[in-house]
């Protein structure tokens, strides 16, 4: 009810939101301050007059990645709040019963988000500014111009993070309007199954965006390799964004069947089946957990595929020209491309980290809300090891679904991007797969989720069956 | 809203106009294949400054009736009035406001917000109304707190006090806004018999000394015996009632008769294989507290 009281009563449930806000705000502020220092350095050295253009370019790229990280954060935060609200539905029903309006309850849930985001963002600003000052100290006399590390625009991303968190918490609290005051009057209420699908309108929008996006993607690639027109990228890029947005909006429609599929494939042991059932019971929540990971992994795969393909094609094109002494240029070129790729991957890594936190957070809260059920399972003779593998299985299944969608999607996006850019020179080609990046991102996220799910798994097995069954 | 109402089915006459009125209320729950009638054409008047108990076998529709009278659920057809206000026509915002200002609730368990202290729980209705209690209201709350013997527990949290004390806090909260009607759903259901009696004594005193109107749903004849009037429901409609002076034994006997009637009914259904009218007795259980 009173947001501060809620946070004080149970601060731990807000820890993941705090962390996510911190990372997003740190990322945004560090980009701004880093660019500030960089351009100050260039101005001090009186490098090219075109340094302003370069600064703007870097700024645009950096801010794009920040916005992506912020978007993923907002999904994670909205999901966190919707799970917190689900766990609190009993109390909310009581408040509804004695006369609290849904509007008011939602507003105060939003305020909880605001209150969590402010210290997290402040911490991020302090850390980032500290890093910037250390960097400036190390650069010493090389920077004579004012980098403006403390100026107002440095903190615009931080403010944006706060606003987005506030709104995401409000959105996540949407289910409050579905809580009936009657739920408070009876002794035991089974949690209603959530509505599996979002509205038909969102499906329609998703399909339109997807179709439009696919047409533009195909058109862009076709312009490149068939008509040798280098303008393809200008069509393919918005096409990619469009289709991806379509998938994100329509996630509640296409992810649950996929989740069911991986659940069936993962095996038939009791633990895996229970894990699959848990995912299936909250299709929307699971889909939202997964979509954050999908965004991150798709972007990683896309950049890696595009860059690797681009590099390979460029090299083979140069070789086909057969010029002497090209090796030196070739090496330099490959280095530049690889470094650019690493830079992009580093930028996207923030989104992947935020999404992994989201998965672990969903697991933690889902274990906490199933205290009774897990207690019952253990009373019926489920061994702690099996309970742990159930939690682990849930996390791995969610991650597997994300990889299953994101890797092919990223490859196609990256491939089409490369086609649009370079096929006017080389003609049609197949994508070169960045195996090590794919391996690292898939195994890395599976491993990160597996490791991080040990805490909720342990929490699940420390549940005392007797207490769990008594707790109402 | 002021149009004359038909005479209630009950022949009892009141000196003051009823505080709550139910007219021709029917409630059916329709699902994909079945339609279940929880209440059928119910008429009921609730007298002010009296405790009215609603009893009946499980599935008789007593909880549904209370939910509808309190504006928590809407009737399929018929009208419900609190005072002169027809609540079956109100929207969610207005119902919320009504619950905040005109209605008090006490029920079986989970009555209090665990993160709030006793006194904050009691003052919650004012906070939800976005205002501070007036001096007068503050005095009233202090009076209630002293009267219910929870004065020394003011700053405790719900989990630090006994179940009986928690229920007294819930009653104090329900009475804090001087509601027109207090609805109590199995208020002693989770208490040991001593705390249960204590809670019923407090409720009876609220009626006697404060003129509070109370509607009580219970299956416990001892609890119902504290009421001035007991209305018995069976199969979704009032079948009989006790008023004036009666003892718990009479309440228990009436309940037993109703239960055995219901049992006989369902047996004869099985034997003859005929459908039993338009309503199904057991099917209303899904809206009942277990």
């Amino acid at each position: 009810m009173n947001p501060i009281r809620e946070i004080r009563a149970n601060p731990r449930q807000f820890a993941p939101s705090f962390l996510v806000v911190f990372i997003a705000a740190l990322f945004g502020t560090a980009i701004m301050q880093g660019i500030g220092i960089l351009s100050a350095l260039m101005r001090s050295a009186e490098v090219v007059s075109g340094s302003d253009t370069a600064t703007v370019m870097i700024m645009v790229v950096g801010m794009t990645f920040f916005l992506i990280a912020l978007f993923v954060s907002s999904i994670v935060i909205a999901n966190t709040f919707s799970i917190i609200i689900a766990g609190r539905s009993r109390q909310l029903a009581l408040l509804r019963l004695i006369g609290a309006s849904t509007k008011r309850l939602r507003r105060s849930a939003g305020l909880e988000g605001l209150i969590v985001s402010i210290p997290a963002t402040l911490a991020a600003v302090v850390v980032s500014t500290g890093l910037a000052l250390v960097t400036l100290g190390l650069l010493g006399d090389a920077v004579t111009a004012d980098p403006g590390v403390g100026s107002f625009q440095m903190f615009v991303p931080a403010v944006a993070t706060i606003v987005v968190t506030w709104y995401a918490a409000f959105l996540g609290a949407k289910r409050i309007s579905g809580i009936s005051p009657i739920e408070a009057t009876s002794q035991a209420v089974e949690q209603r199954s959530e509505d599996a699908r979002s509205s038909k309108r969102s499906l329609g929008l998703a399909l339109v965006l997807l179709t439009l996006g696919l047409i533009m993607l195909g058109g862009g690639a076709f312009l490149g390799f068939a008509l040798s027109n280098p303008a393809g990228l200008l069509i393919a890029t918005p096409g990619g964004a469009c289709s991806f947005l379509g998938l994100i909006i329509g996630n509640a429609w296409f992810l649950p069947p996929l989740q069911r599929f991986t659940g069936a494939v993962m095996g038939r042991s009791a633990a895996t089946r229970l894990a699959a059932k848990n995912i299936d019971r909250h299709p929307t929540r699971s889909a939202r957990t997964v979509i954050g990971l999908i965004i991150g992994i798709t972007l990683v795969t896309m950049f890696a595929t595009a860059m690797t393909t681009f590099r390979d094609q460029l090299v083979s094109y140069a070789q086909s020209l057969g010029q002497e002494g090209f090796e030196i240029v070739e090496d330099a070129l490959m280095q530049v491309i690889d470094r650019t790729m690493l830079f992009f991957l580093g930028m996207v890594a923030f989104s992947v980290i935020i999404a992994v936190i989201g998965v672990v957070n969903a697991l933690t809260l889902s274990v906490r809300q199933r205290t009774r059920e897990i207690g019952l399972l253990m009373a019926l003779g489920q061994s702690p090891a099996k309970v742990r593998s159930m939690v682990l299985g849930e996390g791995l299944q969610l991650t597997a679904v994300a990889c299953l969608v994101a890797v092919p999607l990223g490859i196609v996006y990256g491939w089409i991007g490369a086609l649009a850019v370079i096929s006017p020179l080389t003609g049609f080609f197949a994508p070169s797969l960045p195996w090590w990046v794919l391996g690292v991102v898939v195994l890395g996220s599976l491993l990160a989720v597996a490791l991080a799910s040990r805490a909720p798994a342990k929490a699940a097995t420390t549940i005392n069956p007797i207490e769990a069954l008594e707790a109402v | 809203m002021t149009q004359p109402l038909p005479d209630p089915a009950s022949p009892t006459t009141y000196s003051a106009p009823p505080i709550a009125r139910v007219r021709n209320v029917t409630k059916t729950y329709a699902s994909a294949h079945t339609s279940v009638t929880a209440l059928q054409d119910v008429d009921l008047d609730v007298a002010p400054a009296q405790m009215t108990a609603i009893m009946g076998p499980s599935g008789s529709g007593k909880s549904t009736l209370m939910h509808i009278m309190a504006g928590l659920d809407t009737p399929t057809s018929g009208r419900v009035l609190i005072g002169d206000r027809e609540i079956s026509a109100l929207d969610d915002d207005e119902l919320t406001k009504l619950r905040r200002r005109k209605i008090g609730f006490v029920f079986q368990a989970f009555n209090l917000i665990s993160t709030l202290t006793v006194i904050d729980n009691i003052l919650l209705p004012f906070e939800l109304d976005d205002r501070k209690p007036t001096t007068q209201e503050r005095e009233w709350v202090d009076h209630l707190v002293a009267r219910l013997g929870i004065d020394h527990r003011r700053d405790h949290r719900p989990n630090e006090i006994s179940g009986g004390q928690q229920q007294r806090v819930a009653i104090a909260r329900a009475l804090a806004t001087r509601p027109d009607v207090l609805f109590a759903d199995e208020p002693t259901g989770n208490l040991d018999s001593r705390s249960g009696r204590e809670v019923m004594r407090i409720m009876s005193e609220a009626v006697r000394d404060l003129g509070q109107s109370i509607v009580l749903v219970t299956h416990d004849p001892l609890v119902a015996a504290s009421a001035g009037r007991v209305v018995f429901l069976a199969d979704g409609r009032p079948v009989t009632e006790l008023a004036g002076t009666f003892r718990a034994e009479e309440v228990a006997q009436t309940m037993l008769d109703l239960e055995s009637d219901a049992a006989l009914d369902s047996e004869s259904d099985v034997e003859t294989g005929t459908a039993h009218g338009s309503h199904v007795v057991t099917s209303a259980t899904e809206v009942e507290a277990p």
Side-chain angles (χ1 to χ4, degrees):
Chain A
M1 192 38 236
N2 181 325
I4 295 178
R5 222 152 31 201
E6 289 297 342
I7 292 169
R8 219 186 282 156
N10 195 350
R12 271 178 53 199
Q13 62 184 344
F14 297 100
S17 304
F18 187 92
L19 197 59
V20 163
V21 174
F22 175 77
I23 293 174
L26 179 65
F27 184 41
T29 317
I31 289 173
M32 291 302 283
Q33 289 177 332
I35 292 167
I37 293 173
L38 198 65
S39 62
L41 191 65
M42 289 198 281
R43 264 181 283 141
S44 317
E46 280 166 7
V47 206
V48 267
S49 55
S51 70
D52 275 353
T53 331
T55 313
V56 169
M57 285 266 292
I58 302 172
M59 183 92 93
V60 167
V61 171
M63 281 301 108
T64 308
F65 282 106
F66 167 66
L67 288 180
I68 292 168
L70 200 55
F71 184 62
V72 175
S73 313
S74 73
I75 293 174
V76 170
I77 288 163
N79 214 18
T80 308
F81 272 82
S82 92
I83 303 173
I84 289 176
I85 294 302
R88 219 191 273 165
S89 59
R90 197 70 198 245
Q91 178 183 323
L92 289 166
L94 173 60
L95 286 166
R96 287 283 289 124
L97 183 71
I98 56 181
S101 67
T102 47
K103 253 179 277 165
R104 189 198 168 100
L105 292 174
R106 268 191 86 178
R107 237 186 4 241
S108 69
L111 278 180
E112 284 172 36
L114 181 67
I115 292 169
V116 169
S117 71
I118 289 173
T121 307
L122 278 181
V125 164
V126 168
V127 170
S128 172
T129 309
L131 285 174
L133 291 179
V134 168
T135 314
L136 280 177
L138 289 176
L139 289 171
D141 294 338
V143 181
T144 48
D146 176 25
V149 161
S151 68
F152 174 72
Q153 67 260 35
M154 295 296 151
F155 306 113
V156 169
V159 175
T161 313
I162 292 178
V163 174
V164 166
T165 311
W166 186 7
Y167 188 63
F170 180 76
L171 278 187
K174 193 173 146 196
R175 72 155 51 217
I176 287 179
S177 18
I179 293 175
S180 153
I182 296 182
E183 283 175 46
T185 59
S186 60
Q187 176 78 310
V189 180
E190 270 296 298
Q191 281 211 351
R192 282 160 299 117
S193 64
E194 58 185 314
D195 44 337
R197 302 277 148 93
S198 44
S199 70
K200 288 250 158 85
R201 224 173 44 202
S202 76
L203 177 69
L205 182 64
L207 286 178
V208 168
L209 282 172
L210 201 60
T211 321
L212 197 70
L214 288 179
I215 292 172
M216 287 166 82
L217 274 173
F222 186 75
L223 264 186
F225 68 78
L227 305 176
S228 300
N229 187 330
L233 190 66
L234 293 180
I235 301 172
T237 308
C242 234
S243 59
F244 199 41
L245 202 61
L247 285 180
I248 293 170
I249 292 173
N251 74 76
W253 291 82
F254 81 94
L255 281 178
L258 255 177
Q259 283 158 0
R260 248 163 263 149
F261 170 74
T262 43
V265 168
M266 292 280 269
R268 305 241 47 95
S269 76
T272 11
R273 264 186 320 176
L274 280 171
K277 283 257 152 55
N278 287 330
I279 294 174
D280 200 28
R281 185 161 45 173
H282 298 288
T284 322
R285 181 202 291 184
S286 308
R288 246 193 287 178
T289 309
V290 167
I291 200 73
L293 262 185
I294 290 183
I295 295 173
I297 298 176
T298 304
L299 291 175
V300 167
T301 315
M302 178 183 85
F303 283 119
T305 309
M307 289 300 195
T308 315
T309 311
F310 183 68
R311 187 193 63 196
D312 288 358
Q313 290 305 318
L314 208 60
V315 167
S316 67
Y317 176 68
Q319 280 164 355
S320 74
L321 293 180
Q323 276 177 1
E324 292 292 314
F326 187 72
E327 277 80 28
I328 307 154
V329 187
E330 192 181 306
D331 282 351
L333 195 69
M334 282 178 77
Q335 247 183 16
V336 168
I337 294 177
D338 281 350
R339 280 196 187 149
T340 316
M341 178 171 91
L342 281 180
F343 169 74
F344 280 145
L345 294 187
M347 291 287 197
V348 186
F350 277 91
S351 302
V352 178
I353 292 169
I354 289 171
V356 167
I357 296 174
V359 173
V360 176
N361 178 35
L363 287 181
T364 312
L365 291 171
S366 113
V367 164
R368 204 174 299 159
Q369 276 165 25
R370 270 185 287 143
T371 308
R372 262 174 88 92
E373 190 184 307
I374 293 172
L376 177 65
L377 280 177
M378 287 173 67
L380 292 177
Q382 181 86 295
S383 71
K386 285 251 177 68
V387 172
R388 274 198 298 272
S389 64
M390 180 180 82
V391 176
L392 181 69
E394 202 176 324
L396 289 184
Q397 281 182 37
L398 291 173
T399 317
V401 169
C403 294
L404 217 60
V405 175
V407 169
L409 203 61
I411 290 176
V412 169
Y413 282 152
W415 177 42
I416 289 179
L419 270 179
V421 172
I422 200 172
S423 67
L425 283 180
T426 61
F428 188 78
F429 53 80
S432 326
L433 296 185
W435 290 111
W436 68 269
V437 177
L438 294 183
V440 167
V441 72
V442 169
L443 292 179
S445 38
L446 284 173
L447 196 69
V449 168
L451 283 178
S453 71
R454 277 165 42 141
K458 208 171 148 215
T461 49
T462 50
I463 291 170
N464 178 336
I466 301 165
E467 282 171 21
L469 292 179
E470 271 175 356
V472 179
Chain B
M1 237 185 255
T2 47
Q3 72 194 78
L5 290 156
D7 280 328
S10 145
T12 325
T13 49
Y14 304 106
S15 46
I19 195 78
R21 279 172 284 190
V22 174
R23 286 289 174 277
N24 308 107
V25 161
T26 295
K27 176 74 182 176
T28 48
Y29 293 96
S31 63
H33 303 292
T34 53
S35 145
V36 172
T37 305
L39 294 175
Q40 203 173 32
D41 203 19
V42 175
D43 277 317
L44 186 68
D45 277 9
V46 174
Q50 193 184 41
M51 191 187 302
T52 306
I54 300 175
M55 291 195 81
S58 59
S60 58
K62 52 188 190 297
S63 285
T64 307
L65 178 58
M66 195 200 81
H67 292 158
I68 285 178
M69 287 172 82
L72 294 172
D73 206 346
T74 49
T76 312
S77 65
R79 301 164 61 195
V80 180
L81 290 91
I82 298 278
D84 284 329
R85 197 134 183 243
E86 178 152 1
I87 63 165
S88 26
L90 298 182
D91 66 15
D92 190 57
D93 272 355
E94 290 170 309
L95 280 176
T96 305
K97 208 181 287 170
L98 181 88
R99 285 201 298 274
R100 202 155 63 210
R101 295 176 182 167
K102 299 283 182 201
I103 295 179
F105 288 99
V106 176
F107 35 92
Q108 190 165 2
F110 214 83
N111 263 316
L112 305 174
I113 305 284
S114 53
T115 51
L116 296 185
T117 60
V118 162
I119 191 69
D120 286 342
N121 261 294
I122 296 173
L123 294 175
L124 193 56
F126 300 106
E127 197 190 317
L128 293 179
D129 217 11
D130 283 321
R131 64 190 181 91
K132 291 246 175 287
T134 61
T135 326
Q136 234 176 349
E137 283 165 334
R138 197 65 221 214
E139 278 168 11
W140 170 245
V141 168
D142 287 340
H143 170 74
L144 282 175
V145 166
R147 180 82 192 255
L148 298 187
I150 42 180
D151 207 7
H152 60 301
R153 299 291 189 193
R154 271 171 181 268
D155 298 319
H156 286 67
R157 301 206 182 255
N159 59 2
E160 297 164 347
I161 60 178
S162 72
Q165 285 170 332
Q166 288 182 29
Q167 208 59 326
R168 278 186 262 164
V169 175
I171 294 173
R173 183 198 58 214
L175 294 177
T177 52
R178 293 176 183 262
D180 291 356
V181 197
L182 172 72
F183 288 96
D185 190 355
E186 301 281 8
T188 59
N190 258 19
L191 303 178
D192 60 80
S193 52
R194 203 175 131 258
S195 312
R197 277 199 303 276
E198 179 69 16
V199 161
M200 287 321 294
R201 185 183 61 77
I202 288 168
M203 302 240 279
S204 302
E205 284 175 8
V207 173
R208 194 188 64 210
D209 303 345
L210 316 172
Q212 180 64 50
S213 318
I214 297 180
V215 174
L216 170 78
V217 168
T218 183
H219 68 272
D220 184 344
L222 280 171
V223 170
S226 320
R229 177 184 174 209
V230 186
V231 177
F232 294 88
L233 289 192
D235 296 356
R237 64 184 110 195
V239 282
T240 178
E241 65 172 77
L242 292 168
T245 46
F246 50 84
R247 292 180 310 141
E249 286 82 351
E250 292 172 65
V251 179
Q253 192 55 54
T254 316
M255 272 296 284
L256 278 175
D257 293 346
L258 283 176
E259 305 239 9
S260 54
D261 282 357
L264 280 177
D265 272 5
S266 57
E267 261 171 46
S268 68
D269 277 356
V270 176
E271 278 162 17
T272 57
T274 54
H276 183 67
S278 57
H279 48 266
V280 186
V281 178
T282 49
S283 38
T285 39
E286 54 190 272
V287 294
E288 291 273 358

